Amino acid sequence: MIGQTDLAGSFTLHGTSMTVNRMGYGAMQLAGRDGNKLVWGPPRDIDAAIAVLRESVASGVNHIDTADFYGPHVTNQIIRKALSPYPDDLVIVTKVSVRRGEDGSWIAAFSREELTAAMHNNLRNLGLDVLDVVNLRSMLSIHEPAEGSIEAPLTILAELQQKGLVRHIGLSNVTPAQIAEARRIAPIVCVQNHYNLAHRTDDALIADLARDGIAYVPFFPLGGFTPLQSGALSEVAARLGATPMQVALAWLLQRSPNILVIPGTSSVEHLRENLEAARLQIPPELVSDLDTIG
Ligand SMILES: NC(=O)c1ccc[n+]([C@@H]2O[C@H](COP(=O)([O-])OP(=O)(O)OC[C@H]3O[C@@H](n4cnc5c(N)ncnc54)[C@H](OP(=O)(O)O)[C@@H]3O)[C@@H](O)[C@H]2O)c1
């Protein structure tokens, strides 16, 4: 295990007292799979899932990303079993506005009833009285951000915040226009969009958010269900004596100080490898090689 100070420094969420290490953990991979239904049902080995969570926190991870629609419910229940009572400094970030169909599909769930139920499901399954951060996940297009107002669901989320169900609000799968719209309704502490070495649509957005002190949390930092594969990446990794996944994470951490990473894994071995990436420094000439991938 590596010590807390090694996790790529820390970042305080804008306007909050929540400070997290920049190397975090994404819990989506802890749920199981049932044929074509991804992130569905219990994992094959629940003890292994618990071990991943416990080792991540013991190694200094204090930022865990989750959602009650992972499993559904399963991932949050595993987090509770592994980590509750939670360490004081642990920040659990969850997301709402999605529900799962019986066929495993991901369905928009933006109504007041659905958003309220999602908040209570998260509270119950995580065993919390109040959620640290809830991201409103836009579902106007499922895979990539799409323009359209998010005022109505965000207003509902802000009301639930005022009722004390959640401390802070973030956004996911959103465009710059939606972020601007949201910031007129409620303070936004983080934005979670698809971004990695090979998928760089948000380059300009990251810089804009950095100027305002808002965290940018790339999802699929390693490429998601099919991890990144690239000749340039493998070559840089070989030159640094690191693995391609470590280089992909170190590149994100070097990319901008407001980037917080949440790599997902169901394996303790991969977790250790990923945490070690926080120590990796990529020299500028190799960053240029990596930039050709995007
Ligand atoms: N807001 C959103 O819409 C959204 C969407 C997707 C994800 N997320 C969040 O973002 C987090 C990260 O995304 P993700 O987990 O989907 O994808 P990811 O972190 O890009 O990659 C996870 C995949 O990489 C593999 N992996 C992890 N470490 C590895 C290593 N060292 N060597 C080789 N393979 C490795 C994992 O398999 P193993 O289990 O075998 O290690 C898994 O298949 C999620 O956990 C979730 O919390 C949010």
Side-chain angles (χ1 to χ4, degrees):
M1 286 177 210
I2 61 178
Q4 187 151 358
T5 51
D6 294 313
L7 294 183
S10 60
F11 184 93
T12 299
L13 295 177
H14 186 60
T16 81
S17 56
M18 291 179 186
T19 298
V20 295
N21 291 319
R22 293 180 63 221
M23 174 65 79
Y25 172 73
M28 186 173 83
Q29 303 294 338
L30 296 182
R33 174 183 187 152
D34 180 4
N36 289 334
K37 299 184 200 176
L38 297 176
V39 196
W40 188 268
R44 260 200 317 253
D45 183 350
I46 189 154
D47 292 336
I50 288 173
V52 168
L53 285 162
R54 289 193 176 151
E55 176 138 347
S56 68
V57 168
S59 303
V61 166
N62 58 6
H63 171 204
I64 293 180
D65 185 78
T66 185
D68 203 64
F69 49 84
Y70 295 162
H73 315 306
V74 171
T75 297
N76 278 349
Q77 289 165 354
I78 296 173
I79 291 174
R80 179 181 189 170
K81 189 164 181 195
L83 302 178
S84 173
Y86 299 107
D88 288 345
D89 69 338
L90 180 65
V91 174
I92 299 179
V93 180
T94 188
K95 56 191 90 65
V96 293
S97 82
V98 181
R99 67 182 171 83
R100 303 297 297 276
E102 277 309 309
D103 59 353
S105 53
W106 310 73
I107 302 166
F110 277 127
S111 70
R112 178 178 294 276
E113 223 170 37
E114 288 167 316
L115 291 171
T116 307
M119 299 289 265
H120 286 290
N121 285 341
N122 274 289
L123 287 167
R124 188 179 62 256
N125 288 315
L126 287 168
L128 290 168
D129 296 328
V130 52
L131 299 167
D132 294 325
V133 181
V134 172
N135 288 335
L136 181 77
R137 208 270 186 202
S138 172
M139 291 288 286
L140 293 167
S141 164
I142 195 162
H143 295 298
E144 293 297 326
E147 293 299 354
S149 176
I150 56 169
E151 181 183 350
L154 193 70
T155 303
I156 295 165
L157 201 52
E159 285 169 21
L160 295 172
Q161 181 184 32
Q162 277 151 25
K163 285 187 182 158
L165 273 66
V166 54
R167 294 194 175 92
H168 304 291
I169 294 177
L171 300 172
S172 178
N173 200 38
V174 284
T175 66
Q178 286 164 337
I179 297 169
E181 179 188 43
R183 293 180 72 191
R184 290 192 287 273
I185 299 167
I188 299 300
V189 300
C190 54
V191 171
Q192 185 175 120
N193 277 3
H194 184 183
Y195 184 82
N196 58 43
L197 255 177
H199 186 97
R200 298 185 53 174
T201 316
D202 277 351
D203 273 337
L205 174 63
I206 291 169
D208 289 344
L209 294 176
R211 268 191 295 279
D212 291 345
I214 296 177
Y216 183 88
V217 187
F219 75 73
F220 293 159
L222 301 174
F225 294 102
T226 312
L228 294 166
Q229 286 186 347
S230 131
L233 177 58
S234 299
E235 215 163 281
V236 169
R239 286 182 65 181
L240 291 169
T243 68
M245 297 299 105
Q246 288 175 323
V247 173
L249 292 172
W251 177 84
L252 284 168
L253 290 167
Q254 269 178 243
R255 171 75 188 74
S256 181
N258 65 328
I259 290 187
L260 311 179
V261 296
I262 49 163
T265 180
S266 54
S267 126
V268 168
E269 197 187 341
H270 285 168
L271 172 75
R272 289 179 185 152
E273 181 183 323
N274 296 344
L275 296 182
E276 288 291 337
R279 296 177 174 178
L280 187 65
Q281 283 299 317
I282 309 173
E285 66 278 13
L286 295 186
V287 171
S288 305
D289 291 352
L290 293 171
D291 283 343
T292 61
I293 297 172

